[in-house]
Amino acid sequence: HVQLVESGGGSVQAGGSLRLSCAASGYIYNRNCVGWFRQAPGKEREGVAFIYAGGGTTYYSDSVKGRFTISRDNARKTVTLQMNSLQPEDTAMYYCAASVAPCTELGGMIQGTYTYWGQGTQVTVS
């Protein structure tokens, strides 16, 4: 069983930065995915970025590419999302998620790929 706890959300002015962290308890296999999703009020949850638990290749949605960076620490216990050049449209609840099976490049941005979810952390950009 894996538990995920997000931290690092907050309020920031447009153009600012925030760094979100996802701390995982339990083991996540190298080919499984850890992803960040977000959900704004009145909108569906959308994939933002994901990384394989073993590290390496990262993937981003077009809306955040070039501004956000996902990474993991060497012990594979924390995945971070560095968010730069934040805009009001980035305002949302951000969730960390982990899969229980190896994921594909296409599957990594899909909610149904993920079994474990954190409680979310709010990001507000004004």
Side-chain angles (χ1 to χ4, degrees):
H1 184 71
V2 173
Q3 289 186 316
L4 304 171
V5 178
E6 303 98 333
S7 62
S11 297
V12 66
Q13 292 187 337
S17 298
L18 284 173
R19 185 178 179 89
L20 305 183
S21 291
C22 174
S25 64
Y27 188 79
I28 304 174
Y29 290 94
N30 287 350
R31 290 299 297 172
N32 293 6
C33 290
V34 179
W36 283 96
F37 288 74
R38 66 185 182 185
Q39 187 167 20
K43 294 187 177 181
E44 293 187 356
R45 191 173 296 187
E46 63 172 351
V48 173
F50 77 92
I51 187 170
Y52 289 104
T57 310
T58 57
Y59 299 87
Y60 302 92
S61 66
D62 288 342
S63 61
V64 306
K65 197 173 296 181
R67 300 188 298 123
F68 291 11
T69 302
I70 188 171
S71 61
R72 65 159 186 86
D73 72 357
N74 291 335
R76 303 194 300 275
K77 288 294 186 182
T78 302
V79 173
T80 61
L81 186 68
Q82 177 67 42
M83 306 185 296
N84 299 326
S85 301
L86 283 163
Q87 300 301 317
E89 52 265 35
D90 295 315
T91 295
M93 184 72 78
Y94 282 72
Y95 299 90
C96 175
S99 69
V100 296
C103 72
T104 64
E105 180 178 339
L106 290 177
M109 287 295 194
I110 299 173
Q111 289 188 63
T113 296
Y114 296 88
T115 299
Y116 300 112
W117 292 83
Q119 81 288 351
T121 185
Q122 178 67 37
V123 171
T124 303
V125 185
S126 60

